[in-house]
Amino acid sequence: MILFDTHCHLQDPAFDDVEAVISRSVEAGLVGMAVCGYDLPSSHRAVELASQYAAIHATAGIHPHDAEMVTDADLDAIRALALSGNLVGVGELGLDFYRDLSPRDRQIEVLDAQLAIANEAALPVCVHSRGAEDVIGGQLRRYAAASPLTAGGRHPGVMHCFGGTLEQTMAFIDLGFLVSIACSVTYPKNEESRRIARELPLASIVVETDSPYLPPQEHRGKRNEPAHVRAAVLAIAATRGIDPGEVAVRTTANAHRLYGVAAPAPAGANAR
Ligand SMILES: [Zn+2]
């Protein structure tokens, strides 16, 4: 099975054995992993990992939880990374009105600044949205309309680990966004997530682990890692009643299109 984890945090301190984790992932069939920054140090570390491993791609951004502490200099540094040619996306960015760890006005300012950076660099965005779907819908509508990616027939971004309703999800797909299904789709209570995985067009779905968070049901309570993205693929296939191999091929192709990266060379060429 060929797989692509569109959102993970291998720069997290939980991965003190990152080399072994990446080897296991490649052995499990992962041809790509997007390591997403959430603040400045984690964004720099993502770029560093991408320079070391062919299967790793980096994004850089400021998580809405950290919006309060962010300075103009931090945003300038994210912009410099975005224009450096070393990123495949901007984010993790967004709004979180569920945990509200930063003031909402500041979250919106930091989101807008990063959406502008993404459009300047012509990069897709990795969006975190929790409890803020109506507000972020307006921001993303304006962003997507101005995105050079939209004009070129590409996706302006991906809704990462999206926890909204099917109707909200369809609204983001109408804007050109992809929707990323996480391993939490395997949790017994997550019926709405399985409904989304069943109803969305396959052309709009990618998969992710959000490692080290959100392990699949069979590994709950433990650290998640990119190799487990297979559990999300199996759950999507089961709920749709189709072959897991087809889900793997389609979601991997979608991820390559999203991030503008080519399918990699065959096995053996993973380390560089
Ligand atoms: Zn994340």
Side-chain angles (χ1 to χ4, degrees):
M1 219 186 261
I2 62 154
L3 302 162
F4 197 122
D5 183 354
T6 63
H7 189 112
C8 61
H9 302 293
L10 293 181
Q11 72 280 65
D12 189 279
F15 292 110
D16 52 0
D17 55 346
V18 70
E19 202 167 327
V21 170
I22 293 169
S23 307
R24 269 203 298 280
S25 303
V26 171
E27 275 164 33
L30 274 94
V31 294
M33 289 161 260
V35 174
C36 300
Y38 43 87
D39 58 14
L40 204 48
S42 64
S43 295
H44 282 298
R45 177 72 179 135
V47 170
E48 187 185 11
L49 284 169
S51 74
Q52 291 167 338
Y53 299 92
I56 295 206
H57 307 285
T59 78
I62 310 284
H63 197 282
H65 290 340
D66 292 335
E68 183 167 24
M69 284 135 30
V70 156
T71 64
D72 286 350
D74 293 334
L75 289 166
D76 285 346
I78 296 292
R79 179 174 176 268
L81 282 174
L83 296 174
S84 72
N86 293 320
L87 301 185
V88 298
V90 176
E92 167 167 5
L93 51 71
L95 298 175
D96 195 315
F97 293 175
Y98 178 77
R99 293 185 67 192
D100 270 331
L101 296 184
S102 280
R104 293 183 176 185
D105 287 355
R106 186 58 184 154
Q107 289 190 42
I108 292 171
E109 281 171 14
V110 172
L111 167 64
D112 276 342
Q114 294 182 89
L115 292 175
I117 289 168
N119 271 351
E120 183 183 358
L123 288 170
V125 290
C126 307
V127 182
H128 171 105
S129 170
R130 201 156 178 218
E133 282 64 41
D134 291 343
V135 178
I136 208 165
Q139 311 291 109
L140 294 182
R141 180 177 305 278
R142 282 188 291 281
Y143 155 76
S147 169
L149 299 178
T150 308
R154 280 183 55 194
H155 301 286
V158 56
M159 304 305 291
H160 128 77
C161 188
F162 188 63
T165 63
L166 176 61
E167 290 66 32
Q168 288 168 333
T169 308
M170 290 307 297
F172 290 111
I173 286 181
D174 286 344
L175 298 180
F177 281 76
L178 294 180
V179 172
S180 182
I181 308 279
C183 301
S184 47
V185 71
T186 61
Y187 299 171
K189 284 186 183 162
N190 222 340
E191 209 32 71
E192 184 69 8
S193 183
R194 280 185 291 280
R195 188 162 84 101
I196 289 169
R198 189 163 55 238
E199 301 292 332
L200 293 188
L202 258 190
S204 296
I205 299 178
V206 289
V207 288
E208 68 168 86
T209 59
D210 203 17
S211 300
Y213 311 109
L214 295 177
Q217 183 66 18
E218 59 187 307
H219 296 286
R220 264 182 116 163
K222 301 198 200 116
R223 182 184 76 176
N224 201 4
E225 63 179 59
H228 297 334
V229 80
R230 179 191 178 89
V233 167
L234 294 178
I236 295 167
T239 193
R240 297 177 80 102
I242 59 175
D243 176 35
E246 185 187 352
V247 176
V249 166
R250 295 290 299 277
T251 54
T252 298
N254 295 343
H256 282 137
R257 219 171 53 239
L258 166 68
Y259 288 130
V261 296
N270 288 303
R272 71 174 178 219

